[in-house]
Amino acid sequence: MTTAPRSRRLRRPVVAALAAVGIGTMILSGCAAGGSSSEPTKLTYLKNTENTNTEPVFNELAENQCKTENTALPLEVSSIPQADLDSQIQLLASQNALPVMFAAAGTPAEGAKLDKAGKLLNFETELEKLGVLDDIEPAAISTIKNLYGGNFNFLPFQFNIEGIFYNKTMFAERGLEEPQTYDELVDVASQFEADGITPFTASGEQGWPITRLISSYLFRDLGPDALQKVADGDAKLTDPEYVAAAQAIADLGAAGYFDDNIASLDIDSSYNELLTGKAAMMYMGTWFLESANDPEKNTVGVDNIGFMPFPAVEGGAGSIDQYPANVGLPQTFGADTYTPKVADWLKCITENYGQVSLEQSGAISGFKSKEPVTDLPALTVDVQDRIAGSTESVLWFEALFNAKAGQDSSKNASLLVTGQLSPEDFMKLLQTDLDAG
């Protein structure tokens, strides 16, 4: 999945990102004072190299809003490729040498394991003590609890909801309103297809933009715990009601409602289809706002792009206001290195991160902003309002899958909508992966 907007205004780093080569030794030595035996002398922060969003915000905080905290406990940032992050965190955890703050592993299951081992800070408890728990959006807390074993043990430095972005002008020209039910969505798609306009663009190369449609249908039909039941063994993807969701999305493909070249379409090209007026709708997360707000990419105009939730399935147990959500750049604090100076930093971050992130790049996080940012595009404000008004979120199709099921899901999604793989066989493949552990 693509990440949220990169900052447009980068400041000189407080400490340059360390090279991946030799990082284990560097982090170990940097955390030697931050182990369980003594207090940390720096706010050591290990992030994945691919994350270019959080460091500029932290540099801003260290230089300004959290200058006092940074003087007492200087920020030190180091980076490592995401592919190597899991093993590095496991190594540091085994040696009781975790940094003060570090990025989440590649899968939520790894984060949940660290939490069970007592390695992570309980933010619900600590932020309550600091009097700043209310500075976190409730929907972001709900998402983290759903992902990481039921506890609020990661911080939402990015927060995305998902839904359908659409061309408002195309809808208005045809007198179409936002569909409230799935049947209405299909009717809208049929009108665009009849007019020679691609109803839905999606990246089959990535796969997950297609499987997100399946999980959205499942959540609306069976309720917000539909995939948790599969993870708990109380249901299977091969059950008829689960296959029905895959069938619904396969039917969209059979009707010709996706791009003709969906199997080879990459993510940027799918964005381009919507932003240049070649497609009417696209299911995507709100990290897409960066592209939608960029006039060089968005030739239809930011005012012509709307956002709506995935519609209800008639008679379903889910609710249209339960947005699929993710915390694309979750970070956490180690329990063993949490001291009063670290607590001061945590409080300052919680109070200021949301505001600085918005002001720097328009990036929405799970932290509330203190003051409104008045020059934000209307689409971004709409998303902010939806997040602020949401108290419950759901996950996405592969969120609780093991690695093999996740890979097979993305790899075979385009085959489902091009008719090369039946809904029954698609779901059977994934359930077999899950059963194998």
Side-chain angles (χ1 to χ4, degrees):
M1 185 173 62
T2 55
T3 59
R6 180 174 181 171
S7 172
R8 301 189 191 99
R9 181 167 62 91
L10 300 183
R11 291 182 174 269
R12 182 180 179 182
V14 173
V15 177
L18 302 177
V21 178
I23 193 169
T25 301
M26 300 173 82
I27 292 297
L28 285 170
S29 62
C31 293
S36 57
S37 59
S38 59
E39 292 189 3
T41 58
K42 295 179 181 179
L43 186 75
T44 50
Y45 171 27
L46 174 61
K47 70 178 188 66
N48 52 314
T49 306
E50 295 85 348
N51 167 13
T52 60
N53 303 81
T54 56
E55 188 174 354
V57 180
F58 272 99
N59 289 335
E60 169 76 9
L61 294 175
E63 293 175 13
N64 292 288
Q65 295 86 351
C66 303
K67 186 174 183 178
T68 300
E69 290 77 11
N70 187 61
T71 299
L73 195 68
L75 173 68
E76 181 176 271
V77 183
S78 56
S79 300
I80 189 171
Q82 181 68 53
D84 301 323
L85 184 64
D86 286 14
S87 58
Q88 186 66 35
I89 289 175
Q90 291 168 7
L91 172 65
L92 296 174
S94 70
Q95 298 174 336
N96 292 320
L98 284 168
V100 176
M101 181 168 60
F102 53 95
T107 61
E110 291 301 318
K113 288 178 184 177
L114 285 175
D115 189 49
K116 288 181 180 179
K119 299 293 185 181
L120 306 185
L121 195 64
N122 185 313
F123 291 110
E124 192 156 21
T125 299
E126 298 307 323
L127 293 179
E128 183 70 40
K129 290 178 183 177
L130 295 170
V132 293
L133 181 60
D134 288 344
D135 287 339
I136 308 287
E137 295 287 1
I141 296 175
S142 170
T143 301
I144 291 166
K145 287 183 174 181
N146 287 341
L147 277 171
Y148 294 103
N151 291 326
F152 179 25
N153 44 30
F154 283 85
L155 292 174
F157 290 106
Q158 183 186 77
F159 186 62
N160 302 297
I161 57 174
E162 298 177 8
I164 298 172
F165 288 89
Y166 67 99
N167 187 307
K168 293 164 69 174
T169 301
M170 287 182 178
F171 270 64
E173 288 173 347
R174 292 162 179 79
L176 299 173
E177 301 289 338
E178 291 184 8
Q180 300 300 302
T181 69
Y182 187 76
D183 288 343
E184 291 176 3
L185 180 66
V186 174
D187 287 343
V188 165
S190 69
Q191 293 190 51
F192 285 119
E193 195 274 335
D195 288 347
I197 297 170
T198 300
F200 294 100
T201 183
S203 171
E205 180 198 60
Q206 291 285 313
W208 58 262
I210 298 170
T211 63
R212 292 292 211 270
L213 294 170
I214 299 174
S215 55
S216 293
Y217 190 100
L218 281 172
F219 290 133
R220 297 294 187 256
D221 188 24
L222 304 181
D225 59 348
L227 290 172
Q228 186 63 55
K229 287 181 177 178
V230 174
D232 293 341
D234 297 327
K236 289 185 177 294
L237 294 176
T238 50
D239 292 343
E241 59 269 32
Y242 286 81
V243 174
Q247 183 68 62
I249 307 310
D251 288 345
L252 295 179
Y257 294 161
F258 288 108
D259 306 89
D260 291 338
N261 61 334
I262 186 171
S264 59
L265 198 68
D266 62 33
I267 197 72
D268 288 335
S269 296
S270 68
Y271 285 8
N272 186 64
E273 291 288 290
L274 182 68
L275 296 177
T276 59
K278 296 177 182 177
M281 295 177 283
M282 177 181 70
Y283 184 96
M284 191 53 57
T286 52
W287 56 85
F288 174 67
L289 289 173
E290 178 190 23
S291 295
N293 293 336
D294 186 341
E296 292 186 4
K297 296 179 180 179
N298 184 357
T299 62
V300 303
V302 65
D303 291 338
N304 290 325
I305 300 294
F307 178 80
M308 60 180 167
F310 191 90
V313 172
E314 290 192 48
S319 171
I320 197 170
D321 60 0
Q322 293 166 337
Y323 288 93
N326 69 73
V327 283
L329 302 170
Q331 321 286 308
T332 190
F333 280 61
D336 292 338
T337 53
Y338 188 67
T339 64
K341 289 182 180 180
V342 175
D344 290 342
W345 252 113
L346 176 60
K347 181 178 181 181
C348 188
I349 291 167
T350 305
E351 291 177 323
N352 294 285
Y353 191 95
Q355 185 77 27
V356 174
S357 180
L358 270 177
E359 290 177 347
Q360 277 201 349
S361 64
I364 297 173
S365 72
F367 297 89
K368 297 177 182 178
S369 56
K370 288 183 176 181
E371 303 291 338
V373 181
T374 57
D375 59 348
L376 291 175
L379 179 60
T380 301
V381 174
D382 176 41
V383 169
Q384 274 189 291
D385 290 343
R386 291 174 188 270
I387 289 173
S390 177
T391 58
E392 182 182 12
S393 62
V394 293
L395 298 177
W396 60 95
F397 194 56
E398 298 89 355
L400 302 176
F401 286 7
N402 58 35
K404 184 66 163 60
Q407 292 166 1
D408 282 341
S409 176
S410 293
K411 184 171 66 175
N412 292 282
S414 64
L415 301 181
L416 174 70
V417 295
T418 56
Q420 299 174 71
L421 188 65
S422 71
E424 292 83 3
D425 287 343
F426 178 74
M427 295 301 244
K428 182 179 179 180
L429 171 65
L430 303 186
Q431 187 60 52
T432 299
D433 289 341
L434 295 177
D435 291 340

